[in-house]
Amino acid sequence: MSVFAGVGMASIYVKQDTTDDYLVAGRGMHPALAALSAVSTWNSGYMFIGFIGFIYLMGYSVIWLALVSTAGQVLAWIWLYKFIQEEGQERGLRSLSSLVAEKAGAPEAKLAAVLSVLFLSVYAAAQLTSGGKALYVMMGWSEMVGILIGFVLVVAYCYAGGIRASIWTDAAQSCVMVVGSTILCWIAVDTVGGFGGLHAGLEAQNPMLTNFYPPDLKFGISMWAFAFFLGGLGVAGQPQVVSRVMTLGTDSDRKQAMIWFFVWQTPFIVLMFIIGLASRVLFGSFGGFDAELGLPTIAMATMPAIGVGMVLASIFAATMSTADSQVLACTAAITDDIKPEWREDHKTTKKVTLVVAAFATLISIGGLYIPGGDSVFALVVLAVYGLGGIFIPLLTIRWMGYKPDSTHSIAMMVAAFTGVIGWILLGFGGADGIFPSVPGMGAAFATHFIMNAIRTPDVSSLGRFELPDQKKMGAIAAAILIPFCAFEVSYLVAGPSNSSGGVGHYVVTLQQEWHTLGEGTEYISDGETLTLEFDTDSIESWPNGDNVVAVDLVLLYSEDETSS
C-alpha cells in the first residue's frame, strides 16, 4: 500500500499547476499507461468484490456477462472512443458531459453534469465500500474505518497530481493485480482439487451452477444477454474511463491503448471467473456467507501472509485509484459545465474535489445502515447502467451528425434516468431479469425518435444517414430476430428447469423435535482440558426416522477470580 501511495504522490514532481494538467494530464499520456489505468479504473473494486459475488451466486452462466460485455467494449473502443477523442481535442473539452452540448454551460450540459455527479458519487461510494469490506475481512477492522481511510487516500491522490497521480497508481496496481490474481487462482484451484474438483464441487452444491444458462429468467435469455452488451458499450459513457482516452494525444495512441487494454483485461477476467467459482466450492456450504467477500476470504484461507498482503494492497489500491478517478471526473463536470466560470481556477477546482470526495464517503457510510446498501454489485450496476443510458444514446446520434437542441437532449437524458431508476424500483433489474441498460438506453432512443417525428419531421432522425426502405428494414429485422429466436429456443431446450432451483428467496418449513443429549456443570482449572462426549443412545424413538439435521451446543461460563 505504501508503494502504491508513493507512486501516486511522486507525480507531484512533474505536475503543472493548471486545471488542464490536473484533469487531463496535458493530453500527453503514454498509451500503455492510459490503457492499464483504464483496465484498473473500469474493473476496480467491482471485479474484486462485486463480480466475484455474482459468480458465487450464478456459477458458469456468468460467462455470458464476460463475453458479451467484452464485445460491447471492443465496439466502444473502435467507434465511440474515436469520436470522443476527436471531439475532445477539437473543442478543448475535458468532461464527458461537455460532449452532449454545443457550448459549455448549456442547459443540457449542466443536466448531464448533475447526473454524472450523482451516479459517479454512487460509483465512488461503491469503491470505498469495496475497500472497507476488504479491510474488514483481512484485518478485522470496521468497514467504516476502511471507508474513511479510503477517503483520505482519495483526497491525497487528487491533491498530489490529479489524474496523472491516478493513472500512475492504476498502472502499478494493474501489474500487481494480475500477478496476485494469478497466484491466488493457482492456489485456489489446487485447493479444490483441480478443475475436475472445481466442477464436481459446484455440481454437488447445485447443478444450476454448472449450467451455462441461468435458471428462471423472467424475460428470456436474449434480452438478458443483450443488456450485458449494452453495459459493455456503456464503457464509453463512464466519465472516469473516458478521461483516460482524453489524455491521449493522437488516434494512433488510442489504437495502441485499445490493444493494451484488452491484452491486459482479458486474462484478468478469466482469473476472476475461476477464483469466484473456487470461492463458491470452498464457502458455499457456509450459511449467511457474504458472497462479495469471496476473494479476500479465499486469500486469507489459502495464501501465506505476504500473499494476503499483496491481494489486500491490490484490492484497496484498485478501489482507491478508481474512486479518485470518479471524483476527478465529477470535478471536471462541475467546473466545466455546472460552473464554467471555475474552469481555470485551480484552487477552486481542488476544493470541489474535496467536497465531492466527502459526498461519496457519506453515501458509502450511509449504505452500511441500509439493507443491501453495502452491495458493491448493486451500486456499480446502478451507476454504470445509469451513466450508459444517459450518454451512449446522445453520443450515438451526435456521431451520426444529428444536432439535438437543449429540449431534445434534456428529454432523452430524463427518459434514460427514469428508465433506469424505474426499472430497478419495479424489481426487474435483478439477476433473473434484465439489467437496466436496456430500458435506460431504450427509453432514450425512443424519446429521440418521438421528439424528432413531432418537432422536426423534415430532418432525418439518423443525422447524415437516411432511414432504410421497407425492404432493407425487413432484412435488418430478420437479421436481428432470427438469432434472438434461435437463442431463446436453445434456452428452452438446454436451460435449467424450475425444479433445479435458482437465485431467490425460499421458505423451508421443518417439522422438528429437539432432544437433550446432555447437560451439566464442570469446574475447569487453568491449563486443564475438558472433553465432552455426546451420543444419541439415550433417544428411545425417532419420530422423523432418525434424521438429525442439527446439533446445538450452548456453553455458558464465568471466571473464578478468587482462585489462586
Side-chain angles (χ1 to χ4, degrees):
M1 280 296 299
S2 299
V3 171
F4 289 140
V7 169
M9 298 300 289
S11 64
I12 196 171
Y13 296 107
V14 296
K15 73 169 185 176
Q16 300 177 21
D17 289 328
T18 65
T19 53
D20 198 58
D21 186 82
Y22 185 71
L23 296 175
V24 292
R27 303 185 196 276
M29 190 59 63
H30 190 280
L33 287 176
L36 295 185
S37 175
V39 171
S40 179
T41 297
W42 173 238
N43 293 287
S44 62
Y46 155 75
M47 186 65 75
F48 284 111
I49 304 296
F51 186 58
I52 293 292
F54 195 51
I55 296 169
Y56 184 100
L57 295 175
M58 301 296 293
Y60 287 179
S61 61
V62 179
I63 193 69
W64 292 106
L65 187 158
L67 294 176
V68 180
S69 175
T70 298
Q73 293 172 55
V74 170
L75 183 60
W77 272 92
I78 294 174
W79 166 45
L80 283 176
Y81 276 171
K82 179 179 176 64
F83 170 71
I84 289 171
Q85 185 188 34
E86 292 175 349
E87 282 287 296
Q89 291 184 347
E90 288 178 6
R91 299 168 56 191
L93 304 178
R94 303 180 306 197
S95 71
L96 183 58
S97 48
S98 297
L99 282 167
V100 302
E102 290 299 316
K103 62 180 180 178
E108 62 268 38
K110 289 182 182 292
L111 177 60
V114 169
L115 293 175
S116 294
V117 171
L118 174 62
F119 282 115
L120 280 175
S121 296
V122 173
Y123 207 158
Q127 305 311 311
L128 295 174
T129 301
S130 297
K133 284 192 171 187
L135 283 180
Y136 169 72
V137 171
M138 294 181 157
M139 304 289 287
W141 296 357
S142 165
E143 289 187 34
M144 185 179 295
V145 172
I147 291 170
L148 293 176
I149 291 175
F151 165 75
V152 173
L153 288 176
V154 165
V155 173
Y157 284 170
C158 292
Y159 269 63
I163 196 170
R164 180 177 282 104
S166 178
I167 290 176
W168 284 14
T169 305
D170 284 349
Q173 179 269 329
S174 285
C175 297
V176 176
M177 178 175 71
V178 171
V179 173
S181 299
T182 302
I183 297 173
L184 178 58
C185 181
W186 181 280
I187 295 175
V189 170
D190 183 67
T191 302
V192 299
F195 288 105
L198 179 67
H199 180 83
L202 294 170
E203 183 77 21
Q205 288 191 26
N206 191 334
M208 179 273 294
L209 296 171
T210 56
N211 195 310
F212 286 98
Y213 289 110
D216 307 326
L217 295 179
K218 296 176 181 177
F219 306 103
I221 195 169
S222 298
M223 297 305 294
W224 182 81
F226 184 60
F228 296 141
F229 174 80
L230 293 182
L233 184 64
V235 69
Q238 311 304 310
Q240 78 281 7
V241 184
V242 169
S243 63
R244 270 69 184 151
V245 178
M246 287 185 170
T247 66
L248 299 172
T250 66
D251 187 57
S252 176
D253 289 341
R254 176 189 60 81
K255 293 177 180 177
Q256 292 182 48
M258 178 179 67
I259 295 173
W260 276 100
F261 181 88
F262 289 106
V263 167
W264 211 256
Q265 177 182 259
T266 303
F268 181 57
I269 292 175
V270 173
L271 291 169
M272 290 295 104
F273 184 73
I274 296 172
I275 291 172
L277 296 175
S279 70
R280 176 59 189 254
V281 173
L282 292 174
F283 310 120
S285 59
F286 296 173
F289 181 76
D290 186 346
E292 292 192 338
L293 301 181
L295 188 143
T297 305
I298 201 173
M300 291 286 290
T302 62
M303 297 185 76
I306 187 171
V308 173
M310 183 167 61
V311 171
L312 174 60
S314 296
I315 296 175
F316 208 74
T319 57
M320 295 311 101
S321 58
T322 300
D324 73 16
S325 303
Q326 290 152 347
V327 168
L328 287 170
C330 288
T331 302
I334 293 172
T335 58
D336 284 22
D337 299 303
I338 298 177
K339 298 289 287 184
E341 60 269 25
W342 293 348
R343 178 180 171 87
E344 302 302 331
D345 190 337
H346 190 51
K347 290 184 178 179
T348 300
T349 299
K350 286 193 169 185
K351 292 177 182 177
V352 171
T353 299
L354 180 61
V355 172
V356 172
F359 179 55
T361 302
L362 290 176
I363 293 175
S364 183
I365 293 174
L368 298 178
Y369 302 96
I370 299 174
D374 63 342
S375 170
V376 174
F377 189 81
L379 290 172
V380 170
V381 164
L382 171 61
V384 168
Y385 293 142
L387 289 166
I390 291 168
F391 285 110
I392 298 303
L394 275 170
L395 290 173
T396 300
I397 65 172
R398 294 184 73 85
W399 168 82
M400 291 189 296
Y402 192 94
K403 300 295 184 182
D405 60 13
S406 295
T407 302
H408 193 116
S409 298
I410 290 173
M412 288 181 65
M413 285 187 282
V414 170
F417 178 82
T418 304
V420 170
I421 300 300
W423 193 257
I424 291 175
L425 292 177
L426 289 171
F428 297 150
D432 59 350
I434 299 175
F435 282 90
S437 55
V438 172
M441 293 189 193
F445 277 119
T447 301
H448 163 65
F449 286 111
I450 293 171
M451 293 281 288
N452 178 77
I454 295 175
R455 302 175 73 232
T456 54
D458 55 325
V459 177
S460 171
S461 58
L462 301 183
R464 61 178 179 271
F465 304 101
E466 294 295 330
L467 285 171
D469 56 32
Q470 189 173 1
K471 184 177 180 180
K472 290 182 178 178
M473 190 71 77
I476 293 172
I480 295 174
L481 291 176
I482 291 175
F484 268 55
C485 291
F487 201 17
E488 291 298 333
V489 171
S490 71
Y491 179 64
L492 291 174
V493 173
S497 63
N498 292 335
S499 60
S500 64
V503 179
H505 299 281
Y506 300 89
V507 177
V508 179
T509 302
L510 298 177
Q511 293 181 346
Q512 62 184 5
E513 183 175 339
W514 289 94
H515 295 272
T516 301
L517 300 179
E519 60 182 346
T521 302
E522 297 285 346
Y523 188 94
I524 307 173
S525 301
D526 287 343
E528 182 180 351
T529 300
L530 175 66
T531 301
L532 301 175
E533 295 183 0
F534 301 98
D535 58 58
T536 58
D537 294 341
S538 61
I539 303 177
E540 297 180 357
S541 63
W542 296 86
N544 60 353
D546 70 7
N547 181 23
V548 179
V549 297
V551 176
D552 188 25
L553 177 64
V554 180
L555 294 176
L556 302 176
Y557 71 94
S558 61
E559 300 286 348
D560 184 0
E561 301 293 344
T562 63
S563 177
S564 58

